Amino acid sequence: MRATNSKQELYHSIFGSILDRTEMTPYLMLHAYDYKTALSQATKMMGNRGFDIKGGDALTASENNRAKRYVDMALGYCHQYLFPFLKEQLATLIRLNSPAISYYETLNDSIIEIEKRLLDNEFCRIVAEDPRHLFLMASSGKYPHLFYGYKGMNMTVPDDFQHMACALLKVCHLIKSTEEDSQDINDFVALGLYFTSNGLTLNNLFDFDFQHPLATLIDNEPSYRAYVKVSTFFDRLREFTDFDRERNLFIFKSGDGVDVEIAEISSRLKTVFSMATKLGNDFEGEACMIKDPLAVTFILNDRNDTLKLFHALQKRGVILQETVVSSSITQTIFDTPEDMTEAISRLMTSLNRSGHNNYVPENEEILQNATDFYNALSKNATRNAHTSKGHKKFQCKLNFPVPIHRCQQTRKILLPCAINHGPQVSVPCFTEQHTLPVELRISDKQSWEDSEQKGDSHHDAYKFRQLVSVMNRLFKDNFHFPKELDSMLRDDQRDVFL
């Protein structure tokens, strides 16, 4: 006989983030007293989450495969990205034998135990059999009857399975968000997956030959759309940049006689795992807020050329007031207005030269401009709790406008270089306006080395702190690193990354 409860249940779990749950308590499972009903209700839950169930009780083969792909990517995130990196960093921290060693050892043991649970043969079999089983297992704490009648048994879900199913659903949510929450972001996810699956690097894109894409890429529209966006951006940069082989450096030309020497142009495209981490670390967790799928860094020989390059990029339309995310503008390369005076002096001298003006600014005027620039560029304090305050760079995030051209006849996307094949030949096309989110950074060789490659500012140190925060949310039943230990962790990281 089914149990009944006259007490009305009031549901308030809509508040807060799904990543901070330790179990699911979905209303649709309230009256699911057996496996058949629970599976039907899980289908409805997936229908509510964007899966096409066409009013039925079962997933179509294509939607079942899509769900399994999310699960496979979630497991890949854990086993190929999250756990190996954390264990490697923890091993280094443990060898320091610092006062925090017991915490690091506990975290390492927790990860090993979580790995073992996620690799449990029975758990993996149940998940592989039907992705809807994740919803049933994650909800089994409040609703213990969901597997009653499964293969003729009244199966009880162990606590470990419930915990791991809930965590795995959270990661699936992050992976799925990169696809569904923002089609622009999904384009870059698709491009990143295409590059990695074909053995192509996501770094050094400035030097990449974008004019000869593979045929398989052209047939994949989301990947190809992102490819054309990135290609257009780097075409713009290369149009204004020369390489001096004798001096082994780049020259960026502002167009009015002011040239800026650049030692290195670095770039990277975010991976889907990195995007999922960013979403998991952000309380809002909105994919549309990812403003840096592409990051480009200009490394100068002399930091006092920073403002010259900033201004040159403005003149060339790479940076525009209306395309920059205002809250993202941050400069930490200069410590005070007085520290910025030489950079301001060079900028003013360059502008006078480009205007054919021999006016030499006075020190008082230079300091006033330096104060104004410093206040304008330094007003946005670093908001990311996992970033080191020792970073030395200028950065901003911008939505770079990109025209996407399509062939009128076939509607296929065209590379910029394919639109005009010669003076007499052109492809009839029409244009769609898109944007490319870019994080643009400027630093100098010494500052970049000191602030990005050492101490708690090192990229791996930052990544570790970020992933620990994500672990706290994904596996909060089985993993916990207190925020109070952050300062101790940073001290140890400064010893690791000398």
Side-chain angles (χ1 to χ4, degrees):
M1 185 175 179
R2 293 178 179 174
T4 59
N5 188 346
S6 61
K7 181 180 179 182
Q8 184 181 18
E9 294 195 47
L10 302 179
Y11 281 76
H12 60 276
S13 60
I14 190 68
F15 301 108
S17 169
I18 188 175
L19 298 184
D20 296 318
R21 303 274 178 239
T22 57
E23 63 177 348
M24 291 192 72
T25 57
Y27 182 79
L28 285 175
M29 291 296 181
L30 183 60
H31 298 294
Y33 296 103
D34 57 43
Y35 174 70
K36 182 179 179 181
T37 307
L39 207 60
S40 174
Q41 295 299 88
T43 305
K44 294 177 183 177
M45 291 173 65
M46 294 183 73
N48 292 340
R49 286 159 174 78
F51 287 87
D52 188 2
I53 63 174
K54 300 186 185 303
D57 289 339
L59 293 177
T60 63
S62 63
E63 291 296 75
N64 186 63
N65 289 335
R66 181 159 75 102
K68 285 185 174 180
R69 179 168 61 87
Y70 290 137
V71 175
D72 289 342
M73 291 181 70
L75 289 169
Y77 174 82
C78 293
H79 294 308
Q80 300 167 25
Y81 180 82
L82 182 61
F83 299 154
F85 181 83
L86 288 175
K87 288 196 297 183
E88 179 186 6
Q89 293 296 308
L90 283 169
T92 303
L93 291 167
I94 288 170
R95 285 196 293 270
L96 286 178
N97 200 28
S98 76
I101 185 172
S102 62
Y103 293 103
Y104 301 145
E105 290 175 336
T106 299
L107 294 185
N108 192 64
D109 291 342
S110 296
I111 294 172
I112 292 172
E113 184 61 29
I114 291 169
E115 271 188 306
K116 186 169 67 174
R117 293 177 181 179
L118 277 179
L119 291 171
D120 180 273
N121 289 334
E122 182 66 7
F123 176 79
C124 291
R125 182 192 66 77
I126 295 173
V127 173
E129 187 177 42
D130 193 317
R132 292 173 293 180
H133 287 166
L134 281 176
F135 288 95
L136 272 60
M137 286 191 285
S139 307
S140 62
K142 186 171 184 65
Y143 308 114
H145 306 97
L146 301 183
F147 277 93
Y148 278 26
Y150 171 69
K151 294 190 174 181
M153 303 178 296
N154 288 344
M155 188 179 86
T156 300
V157 177
D159 289 343
D160 288 352
F161 286 18
Q162 187 269 316
H163 295 165
M164 293 303 103
C166 190
L168 200 53
L169 273 177
K170 293 178 186 179
V171 184
C172 286
H173 165 72
L174 295 176
I175 298 293
K176 187 168 178 284
S177 292
T178 64
E179 178 175 312
E180 68 176 13
D181 288 356
S182 169
Q183 290 306 303
D184 284 335
I185 295 302
N186 178 50
D187 288 353
F188 298 104
V189 170
L191 180 61
L193 289 173
Y194 182 87
F195 265 55
T196 53
S197 63
N198 284 275
L200 302 173
T201 180
L202 297 179
N203 299 314
N204 303 319
L205 296 177
F206 182 77
D207 298 321
F208 187 81
D209 179 13
F210 284 98
Q211 294 193 13
H212 301 94
L214 298 175
T216 51
L217 175 65
I218 297 175
D219 293 336
N220 185 330
E221 178 156 317
S223 300
Y224 193 50
R225 188 163 50 230
Y227 183 90
V228 172
K229 292 179 190 178
V230 175
S231 168
T232 303
F233 178 78
F234 284 114
D235 279 350
R236 173 68 67 87
L237 285 186
R238 281 191 288 265
E239 181 182 352
F240 310 131
T241 307
D242 290 334
F243 185 73
D244 188 325
R245 294 188 179 278
E246 290 187 5
R247 293 189 291 167
N248 193 35
L249 50 78
F250 295 97
I251 307 293
F252 190 88
K253 300 167 293 183
S254 69
D256 57 4
V258 176
D259 296 340
V260 185
E261 297 180 358
I262 303 172
E264 179 185 349
I265 301 176
S266 174
S267 59
R268 66 100 181 97
L269 193 67
K270 266 189 183 296
T271 66
V272 61
F273 289 164
S274 181
M275 289 188 190
T277 296
K278 192 173 185 104
L279 290 175
N281 187 50
D282 178 17
F283 182 75
E284 298 296 334
E286 297 177 356
C288 62
M289 297 305 294
I290 296 178
K291 300 295 184 184
D292 58 346
L294 176 67
V296 178
T297 306
F298 299 97
I299 307 295
L300 309 177
N301 283 320
D302 189 335
R303 71 170 186 150
N304 289 312
D305 284 337
T306 300
L307 298 181
K308 279 176 62 179
L309 179 58
F310 175 47
H311 194 267
L313 290 167
Q314 286 181 298
K315 283 193 172 184
R316 289 302 194 180
V318 178
I319 298 176
L320 294 175
Q321 182 178 7
E322 63 267 31
T323 61
V324 173
V325 181
S326 298
S327 60
S328 71
I329 299 176
T330 305
Q331 97 62 38
T332 51
I333 199 167
F334 300 102
D335 297 325
T336 63
E338 290 75 15
D339 195 29
M340 194 183 273
T341 53
E342 175 58 27
I344 289 291
S345 177
R346 290 190 188 185
L347 174 61
M348 295 178 71
T349 301
S350 297
L351 292 177
N352 286 329
R353 187 185 306 127
S354 65
H356 307 290
N357 189 336
N358 294 323
Y359 171 72
V360 178
E362 297 181 355
N363 290 338
E364 184 178 347
E365 185 182 6
I366 292 173
L367 180 57
Q368 182 59 55
N369 279 318
T371 301
D372 293 341
F373 259 74
Y374 183 85
N375 291 336
L377 295 175
S378 307
K379 66 179 181 180
N380 296 315
T382 302
R383 299 176 183 180
N384 190 334
H386 309 292
T387 300
S388 169
K389 293 179 174 57
H391 283 177
K392 294 288 186 181
K393 60 188 175 184
F394 165 85
Q395 71 176 18
C396 67
K397 295 178 182 179
L398 55 102
N399 294 309
F400 184 76
V402 180
I404 296 291
H405 304 287
R406 290 182 182 269
C407 174
Q408 274 188 2
Q409 185 174 3
T410 65
R411 299 187 65 84
K412 287 196 172 183
I413 296 173
L414 303 173
L415 269 179
C417 62
I419 296 171
N420 295 301
H421 300 290
Q424 305 299 325
V425 182
S426 64
V427 178
C429 62
F430 64 95
T431 305
E432 299 172 345
Q433 186 67 49
H434 287 254
T435 58
L436 169 67
V438 182
E439 181 179 59
L440 191 146
R441 303 177 292 205
I442 304 173
S443 189
D444 66 281
K445 292 172 72 172
Q446 189 62 50
S447 297
W448 190 256
E449 173 67 23
D450 291 344
S451 69
E452 296 282 340
Q453 305 298 320
K454 293 181 180 179
D456 70 321
S457 301
H458 191 283
H459 178 70
D460 284 351
Y462 163 79
K463 182 177 172 181
F464 178 82
R465 295 191 299 271
Q466 190 181 47
L467 289 178
V468 164
S469 174
V470 172
M471 283 287 293
N472 275 344
R473 301 185 78 188
L474 296 180
F475 298 96
K476 64 187 307 178
D477 279 319
N478 307 97
F479 184 98
H480 180 63
F481 185 73
K483 291 183 179 179
E484 298 75 35
L485 296 178
D486 184 68
S487 60
M488 191 181 298
L489 169 62
R490 287 173 181 265
D491 288 341
D492 288 341
Q493 288 180 325
R494 283 189 276 273
D495 289 336
V496 169
F497 300 103
L498 298 173

